[in-house]
Amino acid sequence: MLITMGLLLALSFVVSLLALTFLIWAIATRQFALDRAQAKTVFGKEAAEPDTDGTHLFDTTGIDRVSARPVRLLILGAIFWLLLASAFGVIASLKLHWPDWLNQAAPLTFGRMRALHLNLVTYGWLSQIGIACMYWILPRIFRTQLRSPQLAVIGFWLWNIGVTLGAVTFAWGWTDGEEWLEFAWQFDMLLVLAGVFFVVPLVRTARAREVDHIYVTGWYFLAAMVWFPCLFFIANFPGIHYGVEEATVNWWFAHNVLGLWLTPLGVGTAYYFIPKIIGKPIYSYSLSLIGFWGLALFYSQVGIHHLIGGPLPTWVVTLSIVHSMMMFIPVIAVAINQHVTVARNTWALRESLPLRFIAFGAVMYTLASFQGSIEALRSVNTITHFTHYTVGHAHLGAYAFVSIVMFGAAYHIMPRMVGREFAYPGLIRLHFWLVVLGFAIYFFALTIGGVLQGLAMLDATRSFAESVMVTKPYLEARSVGGTMMALGHVVFAANIIGILRAPRRALQPQSSVPAE
Amino acid sequence: MNRPDKQPVKSRLADEGYEPWENNRRIPLPVIWVAVALAVWGTATLLRDSGSYAVAQNERQSGETVAAEAPEGGEALFLARCSTCHQPNGAGVRLAVPPLHGSDFAKAGPEVVAQIMLRGIDGPIRVSGFAYDGRMPSFAAALNDGDIAQIASFVANRFGGTGAALEAGQVATLRAAQANKGSWQGGAELAALVPDLPTQPPMPAEAKPATDPAISALVFAGKSDAWSCASCHGDLGQGTENTPRLAGLAQGYIARQLRDFRQGERHNESMNSVAKALNDHEIHGLAAYYARQRVASAAQPALGGDLARGEQIALQGDWSIGVPACFSCHGPSGFGVAPDFPALAAQQPAYIASQLAAWAGGHRNNSPLGLMDRISEALPEADRRAVADYLASLPAVPAPEQRAEAKIDGGKDEL
């Protein structure tokens, strides 16, 4: 048989699958000498039997007090960008069916509005709220105080200065011209520098941890901390990639922002808060391993499925499609671990509002990933490529999954950070239903409209204009849904700022949190 | 492992001090099945891709072999390059394409044939007793010396009955001698090359009437409410992608399309807008301008259509699906029949395919008697691409001189 790229790929694919299986088996059955000692810490004296005698109970007051300052800043910064990005998103959505509205100046045009929405959501809102969760959760699972919190504060300011400069200069037309990488690379390097300030305290905390075993959330967070700066630096560094290679790197990066940065943030956060709130352990350690290592192995090749039909070597695209489908494995593993814990304790959804957000988001992770894998198949992609269907899918992942998990996380963290309860739990319910219903309208409108649009574009006997006109009612529905989501964000901001502003009729503090 | 809840009962939610951990359950079997199934599928997909890579490699290699072998026969080259117009038997097309069989030019030997091929002909010519409006493209750029030598030898031997053969080196000498001289100015100039020709028709005294500067301005600069023709159709009216080639379309056809665009009988946002800005005089002038343009083909097959199938549809039609031959109405070699049947040869393939699709979908309906509506509906999508690609592979149609046009529609562009 001819030695071809495809044959070599198939062989290396099999080898890497075997290696992955061996790795997971080795860790799960504690084949590493090092791990036997860890196992004692995790599972008590008898390694096979989980321990419930109090190893997992400890006082976090001193730990939270140190984390509070960077976490508070990051949550506030994130909410600021969320509100701004939502406004841009709604404007961009309205422009799709009111094309002549707000077109008096270049910064107001659709191309700028849409890219601002995307970048501010990604780097302003999701990244910062995710980093806030890292700062809140990691010291707790390491059972030790955050080290060098002042560096995190410097990182916060650098990060926000970078995002602000990037957004303002982009609005006036200074751009690298690639999707997800619109901000000029000079400002992106500022974000990389800020990332260093964020990572150093977390690494120092990890090195000083009081436990040997690292809970699954810690794997995701520590890995994301390494993955994202590498991705971001390589993709933004100017003058390395040209032509088709540039497009390849562009989409390799763009999809990895979701898969190797936002997904670990969201999955890690859900992995922590679901058992934390319910008070029951995660279903299976082995499944955690499959979920994590599967993501690590398969995800990095997924992005090229955005270039199906593009002028790339077929084997690059096929490899990406295969890896997209392989993502079913880690996603199923994570789904069993998280959903079984929730499904056996549905009472907790009634008692905990944050859990409602987080459990909903976790289910959306499963659905978004399944949908994404299917969408990568050539037969499906032929219809959905270049349509609003893809936009619906992107929001299922970045919004219904990551953002909604983060809403829940913020609602869980805030009372414990400031030592007060939310004054109006009704507003939290309002927020939940606004974003969930708004998102449902948004998603189903774009999904149906996108399929109709794709079918119209494929039919050569129909004019291109027809494929545009057919989407109009769905785009209007999308604006309705998007506006509801944006209103939900205003309620969210009011809730968070309300609890921070210490209303006089607040309940007695439950723990002593020093005023800052 | 579902132990009874040990948390305090006031709220069943976790105590603040509880931190998450993992149970040590086994991996559920269905997860392993799914993983194994996906691994098998993934490996098979990558292997199949390897197969398609091998197929592509083989096709490329065999294509190279065919390309390397083809030039061996002057006949094969003639069939590929010349027979579309001159016909495989060299009989030509009555009143349109001069015959080669028995012609004085073929009898004059391969050197004459080669020199005609190198420069092309642009002027009236008399062959075997009939006068033709001689328009033959130059093949200097399209064919190399070896190819021209083989074709010229084949034509002179087969149709002229001479025994002489031409070598590539001789063609190179002729190519150098005839470089940059433009087309042969009809039989009159060729008479200097071929002795004892019957009297050739004279070149028309005045070459082309000067173009109206107002029309020229419309073509290249547009006016306040209409952008220039050249901005989309190209400087020479050669067209690109979905924008049609205009050069050499019949004057009456162009004028009628512009009027249809103006009245909304034919739909295209850009052309509707431009045509509304044109008055009758300008339409007449533009149509005359483009009808006189002589431009080499800028089109080539681009839609992945099956050229053999396209040729079959163009030459014979496919009566099993009720489709007549394109050339039965659009003229031999797709030259067009003024004013209703536009020239198809060298038209942009994306444009032909999109127009066929538009007729089939009811978006274009200004064809006489609705002929194209029914034909386009009957053509499957692959056939539309095949025929569009085939037509793009033909040489550009020589544009008729204005006097020829005058003979056809009485000097007016009214239908």
Side-chain angles (χ1 to χ4, degrees):
Chain A
M1 189 180 187
L2 199 65
I3 302 288
T4 63
M5 204 49 132
L7 183 65
L8 291 177
L9 274 178
L11 289 178
S12 52
F13 180 71
V14 171
V15 170
S16 54
L17 287 184
L18 291 176
L20 179 74
T21 312
F22 175 75
L23 175 72
I24 292 171
W25 170 80
I27 301 176
T29 55
R30 289 174 290 283
Q31 296 298 311
F32 299 127
L34 191 69
D35 240 331
R36 276 200 201 99
Q38 289 174 357
K40 287 212 175 76
T41 330
V42 191
F43 300 108
K45 286 107 211 163
E46 329 103 76
E49 199 56 19
D51 162 273
T52 49
D53 62 1
T55 313
H56 304 285
L57 294 174
F58 74 107
D59 181 22
T60 58
T61 318
I63 290 175
D64 292 347
R65 191 183 301 150
V66 180
S67 316
R69 177 126 190 266
V71 170
R72 174 194 309 240
L73 278 175
L74 283 162
I75 290 181
L76 284 176
I79 290 176
F80 171 76
W81 293 117
L82 173 69
L83 292 178
L84 204 58
S86 306
F88 289 141
V90 171
I91 292 171
S93 175
L94 290 170
K95 277 166 163 291
L96 283 173
H97 50 91
W98 295 344
D100 295 328
W101 178 60
L102 280 188
N103 59 0
Q104 295 83 359
L108 297 174
T109 51
F110 175 81
R112 307 260 171 108
M113 284 288 162
R114 180 195 169 279
L116 280 175
H117 167 69
L118 184 150
N119 281 280
L120 293 184
V121 162
T122 310
Y123 305 120
W125 152 245
L126 288 174
S127 294
Q128 288 205 88
I129 191 81
I131 294 170
C133 287
M134 282 191 186
Y135 274 105
W136 184 259
I137 294 171
L138 281 180
R140 284 173 160 242
I141 62 178
F142 292 151
R143 312 279 197 269
T144 186
Q145 285 185 348
L146 179 68
R147 300 303 197 276
S148 323
Q150 68 282 5
L151 290 185
V153 174
I154 297 174
F156 166 81
W157 288 111
L158 281 176
W159 185 272
N160 282 278
I161 290 168
V163 172
T164 309
L165 289 177
V168 171
T169 52
F170 171 77
W172 265 268
W174 183 7
T175 172
D176 289 349
E178 286 175 42
E179 202 172 354
W180 293 88
L181 296 166
E182 282 94 345
F183 289 179
W185 66 269
Q186 291 87 342
F187 303 121
D188 290 328
M189 292 302 138
L190 197 56
L191 296 188
V192 172
L193 181 66
V196 174
F197 279 94
F198 281 137
V199 168
V200 170
L202 293 175
V203 171
R204 290 197 60 212
T205 311
R207 288 174 63 87
R209 66 183 188 274
E210 302 274 318
V211 287
D212 286 325
H213 175 77
I214 298 178
Y215 177 67
V216 50
T217 295
W219 314 341
Y220 281 103
F221 284 178
L222 292 172
M225 240 186 260
V226 179
W227 288 334
F228 182 64
C230 294
L231 292 168
F232 196 72
F233 182 78
I234 292 171
N236 273 297
F237 199 81
I240 307 180
H241 314 287
Y242 298 97
V244 166
E245 193 185 313
E246 192 174 1
T248 312
V249 171
N250 185 185
W251 279 108
W252 166 80
F253 168 79
H255 216 81
N256 284 345
V257 174
L258 301 172
L260 298 183
W261 173 236
L262 300 182
T263 297
L265 292 180
V267 170
T269 303
Y271 252 133
Y272 178 79
F273 283 119
I274 287 174
K276 166 80 184 165
I277 294 172
I278 294 175
K280 299 278 173 56
I282 280 295
Y283 181 77
S284 162
Y285 175 66
S286 308
L287 283 174
S288 305
L289 286 168
I290 294 183
F292 175 77
W293 289 104
L295 180 87
L297 177 65
F298 298 129
Y299 210 99
S300 61
Q301 300 305 319
V302 161
I304 312 304
H305 68 217
H306 281 267
L307 296 171
I308 294 173
L312 299 186
T314 314
W315 65 264
V316 180
V317 177
T318 304
L319 180 70
S320 174
I321 294 171
V322 168
H323 276 233
S324 303
M325 290 299 286
M326 296 307 286
M327 280 303 296
F328 266 110
I329 298 170
V331 169
I332 290 174
V334 170
I336 295 175
N337 250 354
Q338 297 186 347
H339 304 336
V340 167
T341 311
V342 175
R344 288 183 175 168
N345 300 282
T346 44
W347 54 267
L349 290 172
R350 283 191 299 278
E351 294 200 22
S352 167
L353 291 172
L355 184 68
R356 253 184 240 183
F357 282 92
I358 294 168
F360 178 84
V363 172
M364 290 305 125
Y365 170 64
T366 310
L367 297 182
S369 303
F370 285 2
Q371 190 194 23
S373 296
I374 301 285
E375 227 176 313
L377 294 174
R378 283 192 174 90
S379 50
V380 179
N381 200 268
T382 306
I383 298 172
T384 61
H385 204 174
F386 300 123
T387 71
H388 294 293
Y389 185 93
T390 310
V391 182
H393 168 67
H395 282 77
L396 185 61
Y399 190 83
F401 159 44
V402 188
S403 288
I404 288 185
V405 165
M406 292 302 166
F407 292 142
Y411 281 131
H412 180 89
I413 292 171
M414 289 311 292
R416 284 153 186 85
M417 194 167 78
V418 301
R420 291 183 291 273
E421 287 298 332
F422 280 103
Y424 303 107
L427 283 181
I428 302 180
R429 278 191 199 93
L430 177 64
H431 173 200
F432 181 79
W433 289 112
L434 272 176
V435 296
V436 168
L437 291 179
F439 178 76
I441 295 171
Y442 183 102
F443 178 77
F444 288 112
L446 284 190
T447 301
I448 298 167
V451 170
L452 294 178
Q453 183 192 12
L455 292 175
M457 283 201 290
L458 280 181
D459 186 347
T461 66
R462 297 161 76 182
S463 65
F464 180 76
E466 208 175 309
S467 73
V468 177
M469 294 306 294
V470 76
T471 60
K472 202 171 170 224
Y474 301 99
L475 293 176
E476 285 161 355
R478 164 218 185 116
S479 290
V480 171
T483 307
M484 287 173 68
M485 285 144 71
L487 284 177
H489 302 162
V490 174
V491 175
F492 173 60
N495 275 332
I496 299 295
I497 292 167
I499 196 173
L500 276 176
R501 282 180 58 83
R504 286 192 177 74
R505 55 202 170 75
L507 306 174
Q508 287 300 309
Q510 291 173 330
S511 58
S512 53
V513 177
E516 300 238 356
Chain B
M1 303 277 182
N2 213 5
R3 284 156 188 271
D5 193 356
K6 286 186 178 176
Q7 304 304 321
V9 278
K10 50 178 180 172
S11 163
R12 294 172 69 197
L13 290 176
D15 186 278
E16 230 358 84
Y18 172 85
E19 287 294 312
W21 50 285
E22 296 126 323
N23 269 321
N24 204 25
R25 285 198 179 82
R26 303 178 73 87
I27 300 169
L29 269 183
V31 175
I32 294 173
W33 297 338
V34 169
V36 169
L38 277 170
V40 170
W41 173 86
T43 313
T45 305
L46 286 170
L47 273 177
R48 202 173 54 230
D49 185 57
S50 142
S52 72
Y53 181 83
V55 168
Q57 193 82 338
N58 286 339
E59 274 178 5
R60 193 182 312 153
Q61 277 161 1
S62 65
E64 279 163 6
T65 322
V66 166
E69 283 167 359
E72 287 197 5
E75 178 166 13
L77 278 170
F78 175 82
L79 290 174
R81 297 291 186 162
C82 316
S83 70
T84 313
C85 294
H86 289 288
Q87 306 303 310
N89 60 2
V93 177
R94 200 172 71 91
L95 298 180
V97 181
L100 300 175
H101 192 82
S103 100
D104 294 320
F105 299 93
K107 284 177 186 163
E111 291 197 12
V112 169
V113 176
Q115 290 177 78
I116 293 175
M117 288 176 69
L118 283 167
R119 285 175 58 183
I121 300 175
D122 192 3
I125 187 169
R126 182 182 296 277
V127 183
S128 304
F130 288 93
Y132 296 87
D133 195 12
R135 312 278 170 237
M136 171 172 158
S138 157
F139 288 88
L143 297 173
N144 61 34
D145 294 340
D147 292 349
I148 290 181
Q150 292 194 47
I151 295 176
S153 306
F154 170 79
V155 168
N157 294 342
R158 170 71 61 91
F159 302 121
T162 69
L166 202 60
E167 297 300 323
Q170 294 167 277
V171 175
T173 318
L174 293 172
R175 186 190 286 271
Q178 301 292 351
N180 301 322
K181 286 193 179 167
S183 301
W184 290 101
Q185 297 297 298
E189 189 182 357
L190 279 167
L193 194 65
V194 187
D196 307 328
L197 276 184
T199 316
Q200 291 291 323
M203 281 298 285
E206 144 232 27
K208 286 173 202 169
T211 303
D212 181 352
I215 299 302
S216 191
L218 266 181
V219 168
F220 292 105
K223 56 181 190 175
S224 61
D225 42 0
W227 50 92
S228 72
C229 310
S231 62
C232 300
H233 292 277
D235 279 352
L236 304 169
Q238 72 273 39
T240 178
E241 293 281 319
N242 202 14
T243 309
R245 170 191 180 87
L246 301 178
L249 292 180
Q251 180 178 357
Y253 176 77
I254 298 178
R256 177 169 160 204
Q257 300 308 313
L258 282 172
R259 282 196 301 271
D260 282 355
F261 279 128
R262 187 169 64 182
Q263 286 150 21
E265 305 275 322
R266 190 178 164 188
H267 315 287
N268 178 285
E269 303 262 340
S270 304
M271 285 311 300
N272 291 144
S273 162
V274 169
K276 280 202 176 73
L278 301 174
N279 60 36
D280 283 341
H281 174 72
E282 288 165 332
I283 287 182
H284 177 87
L286 286 170
Y289 173 84
Y290 278 113
R292 281 201 309 275
Q293 287 294 308
R294 296 170 181 203
V295 181
S297 171
Q300 52 183 331
L303 308 177
D306 175 356
L307 290 178
R309 172 69 178 160
E311 181 174 18
Q312 185 202 350
I313 294 169
L315 296 178
Q316 286 122 40
D318 183 349
W319 287 106
S320 69
I321 52 174
V323 171
C326 304
F327 294 173
S328 68
C329 292
H330 289 273
S333 309
F335 277 23
V337 173
D340 277 340
F341 296 98
L344 302 177
Q347 187 52 276
Q348 298 290 344
Y351 173 74
I352 294 275
S354 75
Q355 293 310 300
L356 289 171
W359 269 305
H363 300 291
R364 182 173 174 186
N365 33 35
N366 69 337
S367 104
L369 307 176
L371 285 170
M372 285 312 297
D373 310 26
R374 197 192 51 70
I375 294 169
S376 306
E377 266 173 56
L379 281 175
E381 196 262 343
D383 281 354
R384 290 190 216 125
R385 284 188 289 115
V387 77
D389 269 355
Y390 171 72
L391 294 171
S393 73
L394 299 179
V397 181
E401 201 57 61
Q402 196 176 32
R403 59 200 159 73
E405 183 79 354
K407 260 184 266 165
I408 289 162
D409 63 57
K412 289 176 284 180
D413 67 295
E414 300 300 325
L415 302 180

